[in-house]
C-alpha cells in the first residue's frame, strides 16, 4: 500500500483536466466513483462490505484521500483490494490533477471500478470536479435529516445518495421520508439507497446499481 | 432572529484582525467561544441544553454560521436566547472579519458568553483564527475514535474537546480511553468533556468549565 504526498495542482483549468481524465477513464473502461461525505459517515465501512460482496465479480480499487494518516487505506488493503493513500497537504478537497496523480501511482490495469474516497467534508469536495464518472454522496443517520437544508450543493452534484447506518434509525431523531423529500427537491434525478453495512440491509440495491453503472461505463 | 449574508473579508491580515477582536471582547467582558465540529456532531443540541442549564446565571448569545438555511438559529431563538444566523457565501470557514460582522449585527450589550457555531467541517475552520477567546471542538461518538489521527490540526488548536452522544457508546465501536490518549498526544493541555445532552451525563463538568472560563475572562 503506497502513501503519496500531493500538492496543489499547477494547471489553471480544473474543469478541462477533469473532462480529459473522464474521457481517458472511459476509454480504459474503468468507472471512477467519487465518494463524498462528512467525517465518520461510514465511507470505509461501506466500501469494505462492498468489496467483500462484489470482489469476485469486479476488480475494485480504492484511492483514499486524507489530510493525514493511512488508517483507511490499511483497512482496504487488508481485504486484498488495490489501495493507495494520498495526503492532500492540508487541502480540504481533491481536484482532477490530484486524482490523476493518485490513479497513476495506483495503476489501473484491469480495474473495472475505482473509488475515490474524498476528504471528509460536505463543502469543498462538492466544488471541484475530480474527473470521476459518477459522484456519490454518503449521509449517515446520526448526522441528522436536516443536512440537505444546510449543504445543498453536495446533494445537487451527486448521482446517488447512500444513507448509511440505517440500523440506528430507531435510536436517532432521523425521518427517512423527510430526508428523501428534502433531497429530491434539490435533485429530482438522484438515486437514494438506505443501507446498513452492519446488518446488510439495502446493500443489494446499492451493489446492483454499481454493477449496472460499471457495465454501462464500458459500453462505447 | 436576523440572517446576515457575509462575503470574503477584505483585509489581508486575518491574524491581526483576530487579535484586535479578541482584545475588544476582553475589554467588553464577553467571552467568545468558537465551536468547531463535523456536520451533525450535535453542536446545536449541546448549545440548547447548555443555554437551558446556564441561562439563569449567564447572559448567552449564539452566532450560527452556515452555508445556507437558518434551522440552527431558529432552534436557539426558540429558547429565548439572542441568536443571529450568518451565511458564508459558500465558504467553508469563518474568519475574524466575518465573525466581527456577525457580532456587530447581534449586539453584545450585557452578554457574558457568546458562542460562534462555526461551519460543520473538521478542516478549514481550524486554519482561521476567528478572534475567539477559546476554541472548543466537538466530536460525536458515531464519528469514530480515529478522528484525531485524520484531522490533527483541529485537536491541536482547541482548548477543550467535548465528546458528544456518549449515550450511544454501547452501540458504536468507539473506545473512549483510546480516543482520549490520541487527543492528548496531539495536545497535552486540552480539557476533555464526555457528555450526553440527551441524558445529561457529563453536562455539569462542561458547564462548570464554561462558568470558570467566563468569570476568568472578566478579570483584568
Amino acid at each position: 500500500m503506497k502513501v503519496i504526498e500531493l500538492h496543489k495542482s499547477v494547471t489553471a483549468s480544473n474543469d478541462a483536466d477533469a473532462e480529459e481524465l473522464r474521457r481517458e477513464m472511459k476509454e480504459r473502461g474503468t468507472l471512477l466513483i467519487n465518494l463524498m461525505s462528512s467525517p465518520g459517515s461510514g465511507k470505509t465501512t461501506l466500501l469494505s462490505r462492498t468489496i467483500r460482496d462484489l470482489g469476485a465479480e469486479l476488480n475494485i480499487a480504492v484511492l483514499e484521500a486524507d489530510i493525514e494518516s493511512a488508517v483507511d487505506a490499511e483497512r482496504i488493503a487488508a481485504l486484498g483490494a488495490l489501495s493507495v493513500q494520498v495526503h492532500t497537504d492540508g487541502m480540504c478537497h481533491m481536484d482532477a490533477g490530484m486524482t490523476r496523480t493518485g490513479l497513476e501511482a495506483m495503476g489501473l490495469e484491469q480495474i473495472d471500478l475505482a473509488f475515490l474516497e474524498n476528504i471528509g467534508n460536505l463543502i469543498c469536495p462538492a466544488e471541484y470536479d475530480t474527473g470521476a464518472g459518477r459522484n456519490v454522496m454518503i449521509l449517515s443517520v446520526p448526522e441528522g435529516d436536516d443536512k440537505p437544508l444546510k449543504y445543498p450543493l453536495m446533494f445537487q452534484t451527486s448521482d446517488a445518495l447512500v444513507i448509511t447506518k440505517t440500523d440506528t434509525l430507531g435510536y436517532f431523531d432521523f425521518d427517512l421520508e423527510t430526508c428523501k423529500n428534502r433531497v429530491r427537491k434539490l435533485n429530482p434525478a438522484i438515486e437514494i439507497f438506505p443501507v446498513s453495512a452492519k446488518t446488510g440491509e439495502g446493500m443489494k440495491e446499492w451493489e446492483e446499481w454499481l454493477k449496472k453503472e460499471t457495465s454501462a461505463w464500458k459500453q462505447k
Side-chain angles (χ1 to χ4, degrees), chain A:
Chain A
M1 201 215 61
K2 291 183 205 171
V3 179
I4 318 284
E5 305 294 331
L6 298 176
H7 304 286
K8 215 180 181 69
S9 299
V10 287
T11 61
S13 168
N14 182 61
D15 285 352
D17 291 354
E19 278 307 326
E20 173 60 19
L21 180 58
R22 197 156 27 241
R23 201 191 53 71
E24 288 172 29
M25 295 296 278
K26 177 86 183 167
E27 211 156 80
R28 182 197 281 277
T30 302
L31 174 59
L32 175 65
I33 290 188
N34 175 28
L35 277 184
M36 300 177 287
S37 79
S38 293
S41 65
K43 280 195 294 297
T44 315
T45 302
L46 178 75
L47 277 185
S48 298
R49 173 123 193 184
T50 304
I51 291 167
R52 277 211 313 274
D53 293 347
L54 295 183
E57 288 172 71
L58 298 174
N59 278 320
I60 302 177
V62 180
L63 185 58
E64 293 284 350
D66 279 297
I67 304 282
E68 294 204 15
S69 97
V71 288
D72 289 343
E74 283 159 8
R75 281 175 66 188
I76 297 295
L79 298 167
L82 185 59
S83 162
V84 163
Q85 177 80 48
V86 297
H87 289 160
T88 60
D89 197 20
M91 281 175 285
C92 56
H93 65 274
M94 287 284 286
D95 64 22
M98 294 154 80
T99 303
R100 177 188 292 278
T101 304
L103 292 174
E104 283 170 359
M106 188 152 66
L108 288 174
E109 284 70 33
Q110 298 182 301
I111 293 295
D112 305 301
L113 178 58
F115 289 99
L116 163 61
E117 193 180 323
N118 212 315
I119 296 284
N121 185 318
L122 291 187
I123 304 164
C124 323
E127 295 168 1
Y128 291 84
D129 189 342
T130 59
R134 294 288 179 273
N135 289 313
V136 173
M137 181 184 171
I138 297 178
L139 174 68
S140 66
V141 165
E143 291 172 71
D145 57 23
D146 62 344
K147 293 301 160 290
L149 305 177
K150 296 167 82 173
Y151 304 95
L153 184 63
M154 185 159 289
F155 291 87
Q156 281 159 346
T157 58
S158 293
D159 301 293
L161 166 67
V162 184
I163 300 177
T164 56
K165 309 190 190 179
T166 56
D167 53 291
T168 69
L169 271 170
Y171 204 87
F172 292 97
D173 190 22
F174 186 107
D175 190 283
L176 200 53
E177 286 312 307
T178 302
C179 184
K180 282 182 181 176
N181 290 338
R182 286 173 174 163
V183 172
R184 292 216 170 97
K185 213 166 173 178
L186 294 169
N187 183 349
I190 198 167
E191 301 268 0
I192 303 180
F193 302 103
V195 310
S196 165
K198 203 169 180 176
T199 67
E201 188 194 6
M203 288 297 296
K204 193 163 178 292
E205 289 76 12
W206 155 244
E207 290 164 358
E208 288 299 322
W209 182 79
L210 288 175
K211 285 196 278 184
K212 185 180 62 111
E213 294 294 323
T214 303
S215 159
W217 190 254
K218 287 185 194 288
Q219 309 302 315
K220 294 298 155 201

